[in-house]
Amino acid sequence: MNTRDKIFTGFFKDFLPNELKTKYFDFKAREYSDKKFCKDLLTQIKLSYKHCKYYHKKLSKKFNFLIPEQLNMDDLDAIPYIPSNIYKKSGMMSIKLLKVPLEKIALFSCSSSTSGNPSIVPRTTEDFDQIQYNSIKVFTEFFGWKNLRMGDKKPLVFNFSPGRFLMAMMARKNVSEFPYKDKTRYFTACMNKPWEYFGHEEYLVKPKLLKTLKAMITTLSIKGGFVLDVTKMLKMINKVINKGSWKNMRVSNIIFGGSPLLMNNMFDNRLLKEKTFYDLDGIGFVGCGGGGWEGVKGEAKMDAVNKSEFVEKHERVFNIKPKYIADIYAFTEGPTLFGGHWSKKYQDFLLHCPDTSRIIVRDINTFEPVNEGEDGLLEVITPYGVNGSINQAVIVDDIVELISKNICPECGYKGSVFRVLGRVKNVQGKSCSSLFNWVY
């Protein structure tokens, strides 16, 4: 166990088995046929109906839903769905949405909300097992996971995020009034964790003692007590370029991951101003994750990120071509991760639905499913990784355009394809509450 692990386990427990650290490193895709998907989804619906009073007393009645003997793909749009904001802590609904006894909940996942009202989702050990599978599936399909280890060479990952220890502290602070805050962790920390055991992961958002003390005195919080340690990142890159290694680890690839908001800040406020350039062609890769394109993510509030300019900056500064820049879309309320590649045609990331899930894009006014080329609210359906709560069908407040229902027109990935256009709160006359209050 390294020093970082000792510190983390000394203060904060994972409450998860150690095998989840490396369980899916030798990734093998599972079979998720339509038939299996529908059978397993029906099982989760039945469990929700049987063990969750809210589901069968209110939600099923709202949708006039009766559990069928069998389920097929044509029935998915009739399944009761819940809005993601039902998990907001102010409503204290999370516990009411359980479909297993509370003692079977391993951890609560928390969103990094800036509103002071994050989502809190209860999850079992089996749910986290599925989330790690989902994560490494995305890393394999869109980040070249299997090629990142070559003999004794491993990837060097710069994560534009706080470390898991710091994130655990922040999560507890963010849900301070929640009765199970000690077992609450940020959802994004689950996705960051595998990289710590796959290569070297350098978290770039770091606390500085003097800045933190000043922030605590002036603002009565730790906000403002962090820095983005670009200086160390540049030293590490120089070491790899000159020697091919970092400390005792030979490096196969240099990966920039995490918040695009912080990456963009690095370009605008440091690298471009100082005219700092590196040629990482052939070893550089960008894997965004966690959102924040609109300019807000967690404690960070900055200008919105223009995606086309973001891609261009990576090519200009690091000589990383657009085909080596990927994105991950996910939200705390569901276990699914959607991997995406850059599209020259759309000047956007095209996001792909894995076979563990299905999506429906619903018209913002009628809630009816839309056709290809149309936009609406995203609903995600999955029976996998939803053992703890009734989140097998969740509709979120992101507006997306449905590019294809069956296959990516650019890369051939099988499954639905979409791109994110914005949030419902940006639509004039609409808001999350005005759309979803009916479901409570």
PDB file of all heavy atoms in Angstrom, residues 16 125 133 136 153 165 179 208 240 305 310 341 358 406 411:
ATOM      1  N   LEU A  16     -15.445  -0.586   0.377  1.00  0.00           N
ATOM      2  CA  LEU A  16     -15.545  -1.450  -0.796  1.00  0.00           C
ATOM      3  C   LEU A  16     -14.426  -2.481  -0.746  1.00  0.00           C
ATOM      4  O   LEU A  16     -13.356  -2.227  -0.196  1.00  0.00           O
ATOM      5  CB  LEU A  16     -15.434  -0.625  -2.088  1.00  0.00           C
ATOM      6  CG  LEU A  16     -16.507   0.438  -2.300  1.00  0.00           C
ATOM      7  CD1 LEU A  16     -16.191   1.282  -3.530  1.00  0.00           C
ATOM      8  CD2 LEU A  16     -17.878  -0.195  -2.453  1.00  0.00           C
ATOM      9  N   THR A 125     -22.493  -2.598  -2.893  1.00  0.00           N
ATOM     10  CA  THR A 125     -21.185  -3.025  -3.396  1.00  0.00           C
ATOM     11  C   THR A 125     -21.299  -3.493  -4.839  1.00  0.00           C
ATOM     12  O   THR A 125     -20.421  -3.216  -5.668  1.00  0.00           O
ATOM     13  CB  THR A 125     -20.622  -4.156  -2.518  1.00  0.00           C
ATOM     14  OG1 THR A 125     -20.468  -3.667  -1.171  1.00  0.00           O
ATOM     15  CG2 THR A 125     -19.277  -4.632  -3.030  1.00  0.00           C
ATOM     16  N   TYR A 133     -16.728  -1.612 -13.816  1.00  0.00           N
ATOM     17  CA  TYR A 133     -16.792  -2.257 -15.140  1.00  0.00           C
ATOM     18  C   TYR A 133     -17.139  -1.226 -16.209  1.00  0.00           C
ATOM     19  O   TYR A 133     -16.492  -1.162 -17.267  1.00  0.00           O
ATOM     20  CB  TYR A 133     -17.833  -3.377 -15.128  1.00  0.00           C
ATOM     21  CG  TYR A 133     -18.107  -3.951 -16.500  1.00  0.00           C
ATOM     22  CD1 TYR A 133     -17.355  -5.012 -17.002  1.00  0.00           C
ATOM     23  CD2 TYR A 133     -19.107  -3.421 -17.307  1.00  0.00           C
ATOM     24  CE1 TYR A 133     -17.595  -5.526 -18.270  1.00  0.00           C
ATOM     25  CE2 TYR A 133     -19.355  -3.922 -18.577  1.00  0.00           C
ATOM     26  CZ  TYR A 133     -18.592  -4.971 -19.051  1.00  0.00           C
ATOM     27  OH  TYR A 133     -18.841  -5.473 -20.317  1.00  0.00           O
ATOM     28  N   ILE A 136     -14.065   1.140 -16.900  1.00  0.00           N
ATOM     29  CA  ILE A 136     -12.956   0.573 -17.670  1.00  0.00           C
ATOM     30  C   ILE A 136     -13.414   0.168 -19.070  1.00  0.00           C
ATOM     31  O   ILE A 136     -12.615   0.168 -20.010  1.00  0.00           O
ATOM     32  CB  ILE A 136     -12.300  -0.584 -16.892  1.00  0.00           C
ATOM     33  CG1 ILE A 136     -11.740  -0.021 -15.572  1.00  0.00           C
ATOM     34  CG2 ILE A 136     -11.208  -1.259 -17.700  1.00  0.00           C
ATOM     35  CD1 ILE A 136     -11.002  -1.012 -14.723  1.00  0.00           C
ATOM     36  N   LYS A 153       6.278  -0.431 -19.304  1.00  0.00           N
ATOM     37  CA  LYS A 153       5.838   0.955 -19.455  1.00  0.00           C
ATOM     38  C   LYS A 153       4.388   1.117 -18.994  1.00  0.00           C
ATOM     39  O   LYS A 153       3.546   0.258 -19.255  1.00  0.00           O
ATOM     40  CB  LYS A 153       5.965   1.408 -20.905  1.00  0.00           C
ATOM     41  CG  LYS A 153       7.391   1.569 -21.391  1.00  0.00           C
ATOM     42  CD  LYS A 153       7.409   2.144 -22.803  1.00  0.00           C
ATOM     43  CE  LYS A 153       8.821   2.407 -23.264  1.00  0.00           C
ATOM     44  NZ  LYS A 153       8.847   3.016 -24.632  1.00  0.00           N
ATOM     45  N   PHE A 165      -8.553  11.654  -1.491  1.00  0.00           N
ATOM     46  CA  PHE A 165      -8.576  12.034  -0.079  1.00  0.00           C
ATOM     47  C   PHE A 165      -9.211  13.409   0.088  1.00  0.00           C
ATOM     48  O   PHE A 165     -10.089  13.620   0.924  1.00  0.00           O
ATOM     49  CB  PHE A 165      -7.149  12.027   0.477  1.00  0.00           C
ATOM     50  CG  PHE A 165      -7.035  12.586   1.867  1.00  0.00           C
ATOM     51  CD1 PHE A 165      -7.472  11.863   2.958  1.00  0.00           C
ATOM     52  CD2 PHE A 165      -6.490  13.849   2.082  1.00  0.00           C
ATOM     53  CE1 PHE A 165      -7.372  12.385   4.245  1.00  0.00           C
ATOM     54  CE2 PHE A 165      -6.386  14.371   3.352  1.00  0.00           C
ATOM     55  CZ  PHE A 165      -6.818  13.640   4.441  1.00  0.00           C
ATOM     56  N   PRO A 179     -27.445  12.602   7.184  1.00  0.00           N
ATOM     57  CA  PRO A 179     -27.126  11.740   8.330  1.00  0.00           C
ATOM     58  C   PRO A 179     -26.073  10.682   8.045  1.00  0.00           C
ATOM     59  O   PRO A 179     -25.490  10.135   8.975  1.00  0.00           O
ATOM     60  CB  PRO A 179     -28.481  11.096   8.672  1.00  0.00           C
ATOM     61  CG  PRO A 179     -29.322  11.272   7.456  1.00  0.00           C
ATOM     62  CD  PRO A 179     -28.869  12.528   6.813  1.00  0.00           C
ATOM     63  N   LYS A 208      -2.975  24.419  -0.689  1.00  0.00           N
ATOM     64  CA  LYS A 208      -1.794  25.126  -0.236  1.00  0.00           C
ATOM     65  C   LYS A 208      -2.079  25.678   1.154  1.00  0.00           C
ATOM     66  O   LYS A 208      -3.084  26.382   1.345  1.00  0.00           O
ATOM     67  CB  LYS A 208      -1.425  26.250  -1.205  1.00  0.00           C
ATOM     68  CG  LYS A 208      -0.947  25.758  -2.560  1.00  0.00           C
ATOM     69  CD  LYS A 208       0.357  24.946  -2.429  1.00  0.00           C
ATOM     70  CE  LYS A 208       0.860  24.482  -3.777  1.00  0.00           C
ATOM     71  NZ  LYS A 208       2.117  23.700  -3.680  1.00  0.00           N
ATOM     72  N   VAL A 240       9.907  13.180 -18.624  1.00  0.00           N
ATOM     73  CA  VAL A 240       9.520  12.072 -19.502  1.00  0.00           C
ATOM     74  C   VAL A 240      10.122  12.247 -20.889  1.00  0.00           C
ATOM     75  O   VAL A 240      10.630  11.297 -21.497  1.00  0.00           O
ATOM     76  CB  VAL A 240       7.974  11.960 -19.586  1.00  0.00           C
ATOM     77  CG1 VAL A 240       7.572  10.936 -20.645  1.00  0.00           C
ATOM     78  CG2 VAL A 240       7.399  11.570 -18.233  1.00  0.00           C
ATOM     79  N   VAL A 305     -16.469  26.933 -21.858  1.00  0.00           N
ATOM     80  CA  VAL A 305     -15.411  26.433 -22.723  1.00  0.00           C
ATOM     81  C   VAL A 305     -15.957  26.192 -24.125  1.00  0.00           C
ATOM     82  O   VAL A 305     -16.907  25.425 -24.296  1.00  0.00           O
ATOM     83  CB  VAL A 305     -14.813  25.121 -22.172  1.00  0.00           C
ATOM     84  CG1 VAL A 305     -13.694  24.614 -23.077  1.00  0.00           C
ATOM     85  CG2 VAL A 305     -14.301  25.330 -20.746  1.00  0.00           C
ATOM     86  N   PHE A 310     -11.090  24.493 -27.636  1.00  0.00           N
ATOM     87  CA  PHE A 310     -10.454  23.601 -26.674  1.00  0.00           C
ATOM     88  C   PHE A 310      -9.632  22.536 -27.401  1.00  0.00           C
ATOM     89  O   PHE A 310      -8.468  22.261 -27.034  1.00  0.00           O
ATOM     90  CB  PHE A 310     -11.545  22.948 -25.816  1.00  0.00           C
ATOM     91  CG  PHE A 310     -11.061  21.951 -24.815  1.00  0.00           C
ATOM     92  CD1 PHE A 310     -10.578  22.347 -23.583  1.00  0.00           C
ATOM     93  CD2 PHE A 310     -11.126  20.590 -25.093  1.00  0.00           C
ATOM     94  CE1 PHE A 310     -10.152  21.424 -22.645  1.00  0.00           C
ATOM     95  CE2 PHE A 310     -10.703  19.652 -24.161  1.00  0.00           C
ATOM     96  CZ  PHE A 310     -10.210  20.074 -22.941  1.00  0.00           C
ATOM     97  N   HIS A 341     -16.114  10.724 -29.026  1.00  0.00           N
ATOM     98  CA  HIS A 341     -14.978  11.177 -29.819  1.00  0.00           C
ATOM     99  C   HIS A 341     -15.318  12.512 -30.473  1.00  0.00           C
ATOM    100  O   HIS A 341     -16.489  12.889 -30.600  1.00  0.00           O
ATOM    101  CB  HIS A 341     -14.603  10.145 -30.896  1.00  0.00           C
ATOM    102  CG  HIS A 341     -15.721   9.840 -31.865  1.00  0.00           C
ATOM    103  ND1 HIS A 341     -16.131  10.706 -32.860  1.00  0.00           N
ATOM    104  CD2 HIS A 341     -16.528   8.749 -31.975  1.00  0.00           C
ATOM    105  CE1 HIS A 341     -17.124  10.167 -33.538  1.00  0.00           C
ATOM    106  NE2 HIS A 341     -17.393   8.991 -33.017  1.00  0.00           N
ATOM    107  N   ARG A 358     -29.764   1.895 -22.360  1.00  0.00           N
ATOM    108  CA  ARG A 358     -30.495   2.385 -23.530  1.00  0.00           C
ATOM    109  C   ARG A 358     -30.912   3.824 -23.215  1.00  0.00           C
ATOM    110  O   ARG A 358     -31.083   4.181 -22.041  1.00  0.00           O
ATOM    111  CB  ARG A 358     -31.747   1.540 -23.829  1.00  0.00           C
ATOM    112  CG  ARG A 358     -31.484   0.066 -24.064  1.00  0.00           C
ATOM    113  CD  ARG A 358     -30.687  -0.192 -25.341  1.00  0.00           C
ATOM    114  NE  ARG A 358     -30.561  -1.614 -25.624  1.00  0.00           N
ATOM    115  CZ  ARG A 358     -29.613  -2.410 -25.152  1.00  0.00           C
ATOM    116  NH1 ARG A 358     -28.684  -1.895 -24.328  1.00  0.00           N
ATOM    117  NH2 ARG A 358     -29.569  -3.687 -25.462  1.00  0.00           N
ATOM    118  N   ASN A 406     -29.150   3.830 -33.665  1.00  0.00           N
ATOM    119  CA  ASN A 406     -28.605   2.478 -33.784  1.00  0.00           C
ATOM    120  C   ASN A 406     -27.090   2.378 -33.920  1.00  0.00           C
ATOM    121  O   ASN A 406     -26.493   1.418 -33.439  1.00  0.00           O
ATOM    122  CB  ASN A 406     -29.254   1.766 -34.981  1.00  0.00           C
ATOM    123  CG  ASN A 406     -30.757   1.689 -34.864  1.00  0.00           C
ATOM    124  OD1 ASN A 406     -31.269   1.207 -33.859  1.00  0.00           O
ATOM    125  ND2 ASN A 406     -31.470   2.167 -35.876  1.00  0.00           N
ATOM    126  N   CYS A 411     -17.948   6.578 -36.513  1.00  0.00           N
ATOM    127  CA  CYS A 411     -16.997   5.543 -36.080  1.00  0.00           C
ATOM    128  C   CYS A 411     -17.558   4.137 -36.138  1.00  0.00           C
ATOM    129  O   CYS A 411     -16.816   3.161 -35.982  1.00  0.00           O
ATOM    130  CB  CYS A 411     -16.489   5.835 -34.664  1.00  0.00           C
ATOM    131  SG  CYS A 411     -17.682   5.478 -33.346  1.00  0.00           S
TER     132      CYS A 411
END
